[in-house]
Amino acid sequence: MIVIESISDMRQWSERQRRGRQRIVLVPTMGFLHEGHLCLVRAARLRGDLVVASIFVNPAQFGPGEDFATYPRDFERDRRMLEDEGVDVLFHPAVQQFYPAGAQTFVVVEKLSLPLCGSVRPGHFRGVATVVAKLFNIVRPHVAIFGEKDYQQLQVIRRMVRDLGMDVEVVGHPIVREPDGLAMSSRNVYLTSAERQAALCLSRALCKAERLVRRGEIAAAAIVARVLADLTTEPLATVEYVKLCDAETLNEVDAVREPALLALAVRIGKARLIDNRVLKH
Ligand code: AMP
C-alpha cells in the first residue's frame, strides 16, 4: 500500500492508473477505522481494480463547539488495518494543503441539506459536499462507496453528483452493526460501558418500528410516538430527533406508503449517535 499525502502526487497516481485503464474505487473516511469502514473497503475491492481509502478529518463539516479537536485519531492503527485489507492507496492530505488560505468556494445541496442532521448541524452538509467534491476532483475515482449509516450524507452526495454531472458512480453500503445491534461508529469510543448499554435503545427502537409496520401500522404519528416513548424510557439518552421521511427526498411523510426512512439522532453522554432504517409497507 502506498501512503500519499500530497494532492499533486495523488492526482498523478490516478492519472497514470486511468491511462492504464484501471478502475479506481474510493472509500472516503475520517479514520479511526472500525469493521464498518472495512466492509466498505471489501465492497470497493469487488467494484474495481484499485482501492483508494482516504483519511481526512474534515474541519469544514464540524460546527463551532463540535468535536473536531477531540475526534478520535490513530493513523498508525488505521494504516495497518488498510494495509491488511489490501488497499492500494491511503490518501491522507494535510488540512492546510487541502483548504488553501482564502478558499471561498463551496458546494451546497440546498433542500436535502436542511432536514434531520442539517437542522441541528447547520453547515454540516455544505462541508461534506465540498470535501467529497474535492476528493472526487483529486482522486478521480470511477466509483465511490458510502455507508447508509449516514443516510442523509449519501443522498446529498448522490444529488450533488447528478446535479453537477460528475462522472462517478455512487454506491451505498448497508449499515454494519455490532453483534448486539449497535451501529458501528468511530464515536462509539466516547461511550462509557453504561452508556454503551444504553445506546442499544436506538437499534431496538428501529426494530420495533419495523415490527409495527409489518403488523400494518403505517401512520407516521403512531410510529414516531412509539419510538419516542421507547427512547425516552432510557434515562441516559436525550433524543435530538425522530423523523419519518420519504427515503429519496427526505421530506417528512405522514405514512409509510412508499419506502420511508425512519431516522434517529440521540445524545448519550459525550456521543451524538445516529441510526436509521428504511421501512416498507
Ligand atoms: P466516517 O469515517 O464516520 O466519516 O465514515 C466513513 C464512511 O464509512 C461513511 O461513508 C460512513 O457512512 C461509513 N460508515 C461509518 N460507519 C458505518 C457503519 N456502521 N456501517 C456502514 N457504513 C459506515
Side-chain angles (χ1 to χ4, degrees):
M1 184 177 75
I2 327 172
V3 178
I4 297 181
E5 293 187 349
S6 124
I7 287 177
S8 58
D9 288 354
M10 185 69 245
R11 232 188 257 293
Q12 277 168 25
W13 181 89
S14 286
E15 281 309 315
R16 234 180 7 258
Q17 305 308 330
R18 279 186 159 254
R19 277 199 301 275
R21 301 218 158 275
Q22 297 292 293
R23 197 171 157 80
I24 302 169
V25 188
L26 172 66
V27 181
T29 83
M30 297 206 299
F32 209 71
L33 302 177
H34 51 66
E35 184 60 23
H37 295 112
L38 299 184
C39 288
L40 266 61
V41 165
R42 287 171 210 141
R45 170 66 58 218
L46 301 175
R47 289 186 173 265
D49 304 304
L50 295 167
V51 177
V52 178
S54 62
I55 295 184
F56 183 65
V57 184
N58 173 32
Q61 69 188 69
F62 289 78
E66 291 188 352
D67 57 347
F68 173 70
T70 55
Y71 192 83
R73 292 161 168 92
D74 188 341
F75 182 75
E76 201 33 50
R77 176 172 155 273
D78 290 347
R79 193 193 60 72
R80 278 198 305 274
M81 288 167 83
L82 295 173
E83 181 134 53
D84 289 348
E85 287 299 329
V87 164
D88 298 282
V89 171
L90 165 51
F91 179 45
H92 180 56
V95 172
Q96 299 84 329
Q97 204 201 2
F98 202 84
Y99 290 118
Q104 50 182 296
T105 306
F106 302 94
V107 180
V108 178
V109 179
E110 292 192 343
K111 283 198 200 133
L112 277 171
S113 297
L114 294 178
L116 306 176
C117 289
S119 70
V120 263
R121 304 185 71 189
H124 170 68
F125 289 109
R126 181 178 93 148
V128 167
T130 303
V131 76
V132 172
K134 201 155 173 176
L135 284 170
F136 286 179
N137 278 336
I138 296 165
V139 178
R140 302 271 326 276
H142 297 83
V143 181
I145 309 212
F146 296 88
E148 286 170 1
K149 159 139 187 307
D150 300 279
Y151 191 96
Q152 186 174 14
Q153 166 173 288
L154 175 60
Q155 292 306 105
V156 162
I157 290 161
R158 284 192 200 285
R159 187 76 254 171
M160 171 185 80
V161 164
R162 278 201 294 269
D163 289 355
L164 297 182
M166 293 175 165
D167 188 16
V168 182
E169 182 192 347
V170 175
V171 173
H173 188 286
I175 300 176
V176 181
R177 297 178 179 281
E178 302 283 358
D180 62 5
L182 179 66
M184 291 190 179
S185 164
S186 306
R187 289 188 168 101
N188 291 348
V189 292
Y190 295 150
L191 300 168
T192 64
S193 62
E195 290 165 353
R196 168 71 183 71
Q197 205 50 34
L200 293 177
C201 68
L202 284 88
S203 53
R204 250 194 334 252
L206 293 173
C207 289
K208 190 152 182 190
E210 197 167 55
R211 283 200 297 276
L212 275 177
V213 174
R214 219 180 293 136
R215 278 193 245 116
E217 179 59 83
I218 63 160
I223 296 167
V224 169
R226 285 291 289 278
V227 168
L228 263 174
D230 279 0
L231 293 175
T232 46
T233 60
E234 174 46 66
L236 296 179
T238 309
V239 178
E240 207 169 69
Y241 65 72
V242 174
K243 297 277 184 200
L244 193 70
C245 328
D246 180 272
E248 283 242 333
T249 62
L250 304 186
N251 293 331
E252 266 190 75
V253 294
D254 59 9
V256 183
R257 294 191 188 89
E258 303 300 320
L261 177 78
L262 179 60
L264 316 179
V266 173
R267 288 185 178 277
I268 298 186
K270 284 206 286 287
R272 177 178 181 278
L273 304 177
I274 56 171
D275 203 346
N276 69 76
R277 188 153 307 175
V278 175
L279 304 176
K280 291 179 188 135
H281 180 44

